[in-house]
Structure formats: structure tokens, C-alpha cells
Amino acid sequence: MEKDKEALIAEIRRLKQERDAAIMAHYYTDGDIQDIADVVGDSLALAQKARTLSNKVIVLCGVHFMGETAKILCPDKTVLVPDMEAGCSLADSCPADEFEAFVKAHPGHTVVSYVNTSAAVKALTDVVVTSSNARKIVDALPRDEKIIFGPDRNLGNYINSETGRQMLLWDGACHVHEQFSLQAIIDLKKQHPGARLLVHPECKKAVTLLADHVGSTASLLDYARNSDATEFIVATESGILHKMRQLCPGKSFIPAPPEEAGCACNNCSYMKLNTLGKLRDCLRDMSPAIEVDPEIARKAIRPIDRMLELSK
Ligand code: 13P
Ligand code: SF4
């Protein structure tokens, strides 16, 4: 390891102790961030574990909505993020005022929102879901319940097809997951006939139809660990490959190709804003910290708690 990086990591460890901080990281962050984190997980695990931590401070290395969720769940903790600009194209595809008008235009519906939303959208929601528990939670709702699902049209379509529901979908999407090339995946499967295709449900339907396994990042990781196969094509953000390679030595993981040859489109540019340098700076400065409007937090905690209850 380079000297500068070693010194930076030592400084982060020292500041972490001093501040009584826990570092939480999503699987899409850089390997260096995952390796220094106390907790690495998918969106559900990060939400579940935030509340169980005894530390005074959480540094959430992920994207803004993950920090917001941690702050809503742990209002007495300071929740820091290395970069306030780490947003999410999917959350951005669902402005709260437009979503509120959509909900009002369809009275009598239960509102199910993906965790990839702002706190203001969660405040308009009856139950939050992640890609880990969306199917289970939708299945738990009465069969005749009319449901609005937002904001991801791909995850919504996938849950509709798995559950036989006809949820009304908000028309949002993630720019990373929408760009995988079906034709390039078909070509790759021909070159690697023994490889299993692992797909996140934010991908387009045509890609999920080809998959050997569709699931959240944690579920894709579990499948790879437990499978007899030794080769996998991975259609989700590239950060997960770090953990897959770490936990499955001897197996090989091939990133699914994007539409545009040669682009790094399977990197979430927001997730990659989390760097060791910014992680050190936020622990040193105790900033930037996530704040949530108390009235929004009061409304948003209910659907998040309902999710955590239904996920048990
Ligand atoms: P997970 O629920 O699998 O963590 O996915 C989060 C996410 O942002 C996917 O793009
Ligand atoms: Fe949002 Fe997509 Fe990045 Fe996930 S990969 S955080 S959905 S922009």
C-alpha cells in the first residue's frame, strides 16, 4: 500500500475512535471504503444496523437518501456523509411535489415507496421497501389492495410480474441500471456458457428475463457464495465486484457490458464521490452532517418502521 494511503487510513482510524464513530458503507462504494468500514451492506442492512449501533456518530458512505434514512432512524446520533453531493438519479426522478400530486390523483391507493427516495417522498408513503424485501412486503398486503409503487418502474414491473399485482407505477429509473446492453449480455453469455447471470431488479425487464438470479446486492452476493458455478456475469453497479471477489476466492466475476462500449456507465458516479480523503475530512470537521426537517422526519419514520417490522 502506498505510504500516503496508509497514513490516511491510520488517520481515519484515529479520528473514528476520537469521535466515537461507526463507518457504514454500501456495496457500491470503492473497495478502500468498504475495507475500512465497520458495517458494509445493502440498503436494508444499513437501515437495520444503524439503530443497533451504540456509537454517537455514524458516517454513512453511500448516497444521500441512505444518510437521511439513518438520521430519521437515529435522530440522536450525528450522521455524517463524506460528500453532500452524493445523490441518486432514481431518487431525483421523483420530486416530492409531483409525487404528492400523483398520489392525490389516485385516491384509495396504498403508497409503497422504494427506499431510494427523499425523506419528503417517504413522508407521503405508507410503507417503504428495499430491493431485498419489496416482494415480501407487497405480498403481505391484501390481494385486493390498490397500490401505488414509486419511483422505480423496473423494480415495480418486476414485483408486478412476480406477485401478479397490478401496482400503479411511477415512471422513474436509475441511470446506472438502465444502461446494460441486452445484446452485449447475450454475446457475453455465448462466450461464457457456464456463467450465471446475476441481475439487480432496477435493470430493464429484458435483462431480468435472462437472469439466473434477480436480487438486491446482498442477495446477489449470497447467490454467488452459495452457487456451484465458478463464473458470474454481474448486471449491477461495479462496486459489488470488490466484495464478490473478496468473499468468493477462486470464482470469477465479469461486469455486464453497458450500451455504450468503453464507457464506465456501470459506475454510480454518486457512490464514487465517497473517497478516503473526504471520509477523513468529514470525521475531522464533523461536517457535512445530515439534517431532516422534524415534521418530515416525524411522518417518514412510520413507513420506515413498518418496513423494518415487516422484514423480520
Ligand atoms: P440495494 O437495495 O441492493 O442495496 O440497492 C441499492 C441501490 O441503490 C441500487 O441501485
Ligand atoms: Fe441511485 Fe442508481 Fe446510484 Fe443506486 S446505482 S445509488 S439507484 S443512481
Side-chain angles (χ1 to χ4, degrees):
M1 199 189 297
E2 321 96 72
K3 271 244 149 32
D4 287 355
K5 190 158 128 185
E6 236 175 89
L8 195 51
I9 288 174
E11 203 180 343
I12 292 170
R13 294 221 160 96
R14 179 180 60 76
L15 285 164
K16 197 167 79 84
Q17 291 288 331
E18 266 175 43
R19 303 294 193 200
D20 186 18
I23 300 174
M24 306 188 85
H26 190 268
Y27 290 125
Y28 292 163
T29 53
D30 271 341
D32 287 340
I33 301 272
Q34 294 186 43
D35 290 347
I36 202 174
D38 301 291
V39 178
V40 186
D42 68 354
S43 309
L44 178 62
L46 295 178
Q48 284 171 326
K49 291 196 183 151
R51 246 193 201 155
T52 68
L53 297 169
S54 57
N55 308 73
K56 289 198 193 101
V57 176
I58 291 174
V59 186
L60 203 308
C61 299
V63 291
H64 189 267
F65 75 81
M66 295 174 181
E68 255 184 359
T69 305
K71 181 66 184 174
I72 293 167
L73 284 165
C74 313
D76 298 334
K77 293 190 200 297
T78 300
V79 177
L80 303 171
V81 290
D83 192 324
M84 218 31 138
E85 298 300 310
C88 167
S89 60
L90 179 51
D92 289 348
S93 71
C94 189
D97 55 340
E98 291 175 30
F99 192 64
E100 184 170 19
F102 183 71
V103 170
K104 282 199 176 129
H106 300 94
H109 285 68
T110 294
V111 181
V112 178
S113 293
Y114 194 28
V115 71
N116 296 41
T117 44
S118 64
V121 167
K122 291 185 178 79
L124 301 165
T125 294
D126 295 302
V127 59
V128 169
V129 299
T130 76
S131 53
S132 277
N133 57 24
R135 184 185 173 159
K136 183 177 175 185
I137 290 176
V138 169
D139 266 337
L141 298 174
R143 286 301 302 178
D144 58 353
E145 197 144 320
K146 291 198 275 179
I147 302 170
I148 286 176
F149 183 91
D152 189 41
R153 58 174 175 255
N154 294 319
L155 177 62
N157 264 320
Y158 177 71
I159 301 298
N160 272 344
S161 63
E162 288 291 297
T163 60
R165 304 275 177 142
Q166 289 186 314
M167 300 187 298
L168 196 56
L169 306 183
W170 180 263
D171 193 19
C174 156
H175 73 299
V176 177
H177 287 87
E178 281 247 298
Q179 54 72 43
F180 290 109
S181 160
L182 180 64
Q183 190 52 54
I185 291 175
I186 293 170
D187 294 346
L188 202 55
K189 272 173 79 81
K190 281 188 195 143
Q191 290 163 32
H192 301 269
R196 303 276 165 83
L197 176 62
L198 309 180
V199 174
H200 196 279
E202 286 175 26
C203 293
K204 285 181 185 163
K205 183 170 186 175
V207 175
T208 62
L209 287 175
L210 277 186
D212 294 291
H213 181 64
V214 179
S216 73
T217 45
S219 164
L220 300 183
L221 196 54
D222 278 352
Y223 182 92
R225 289 175 83 177
N226 298 323
S227 167
D228 297 338
T230 55
E231 220 180 5
F232 302 86
I233 300 167
V234 184
T236 189
E237 209 275 346
S238 60
I240 188 77
L241 298 170
H242 174 74
K243 201 44 107 197
M244 286 175 166
R245 289 176 179 138
Q246 243 176 14
L247 295 182
C248 310
K251 298 188 177 182
S252 67
F253 297 92
I254 310 163
E259 286 289 355
E260 199 186 314
C263 87
C265 321
N266 59 347
N267 280 331
C268 173
S269 50
Y270 301 112
M271 286 281 181
K272 295 330 187 222
L273 288 174
N274 293 280
T275 61
L276 287 177
K278 289 184 210 167
L279 173 53
R280 184 266 321 268
D281 293 352
C282 82
L283 275 166
R284 183 193 58 204
D285 305 340
M286 290 296 280
S287 168
I290 297 272
E291 295 300 338
V292 183
D293 175 84
E295 185 54 18
I296 288 182
R298 191 183 63 75
K299 291 182 182 156
I301 188 70
R302 281 181 297 203
I304 300 173
D305 268 339
R306 195 168 168 205
M307 166 183 84
L308 294 176
E309 195 51 43
L310 288 168
S311 302
K312 282 180 185 161

